[in-house]
Amino acid sequence: MQKSWSGTGWSLILVLTAIILFRIPLARWRIPIISFGFFMIMISILSGAGNTAGGGWWNTDAFLVS
């Protein structure tokens, strides 16, 4: 489902619903969640940076895909 922005949105809704319904405590998982989020953001930024065919330094498609 996460091949598009709508799939990512539906996944977010599903996860938030599960957290609320099953009352999952997130305080215990705070550090791993923050670390994984930081990792995902950095990988996206690194994949978007670099030379492109048009001579620019930023590739938005690579950023959004990763």
Side-chain angles (χ1 to χ4, degrees), residues 44-60 62:
S44 295
I45 290 171
L46 289 174
S47 67
N51 292 335
T52 62
W57 62 272
W58 182 254
N59 188 347
T60 305

Side-chain angles (χ1 to χ4, degrees), residues 26-54:
L26 291 181
R28 154 183 187 181
W29 299 100
R30 182 175 48 116
I31 302 288
I33 291 170
I34 291 171
S35 298
F36 188 66
F38 180 74
F39 172 76
M40 289 189 308
I41 290 169
M42 292 307 296
I43 290 298
S44 295
I45 290 171
L46 289 174
S47 67
N51 292 335
T52 62

Side-chain angles (χ1 to χ4, degrees), residues 6-35:
S6 62
T8 304
W10 282 110
S11 297
L12 177 66
I13 291 170
L14 180 66
V15 168
L16 290 177
T17 303
I19 289 171
I20 292 169
L21 287 178
F22 297 115
R23 297 182 181 161
I24 299 172
L26 291 181
R28 154 183 187 181
W29 299 100
R30 182 175 48 116
I31 302 288
I33 291 170
I34 291 171
S35 298

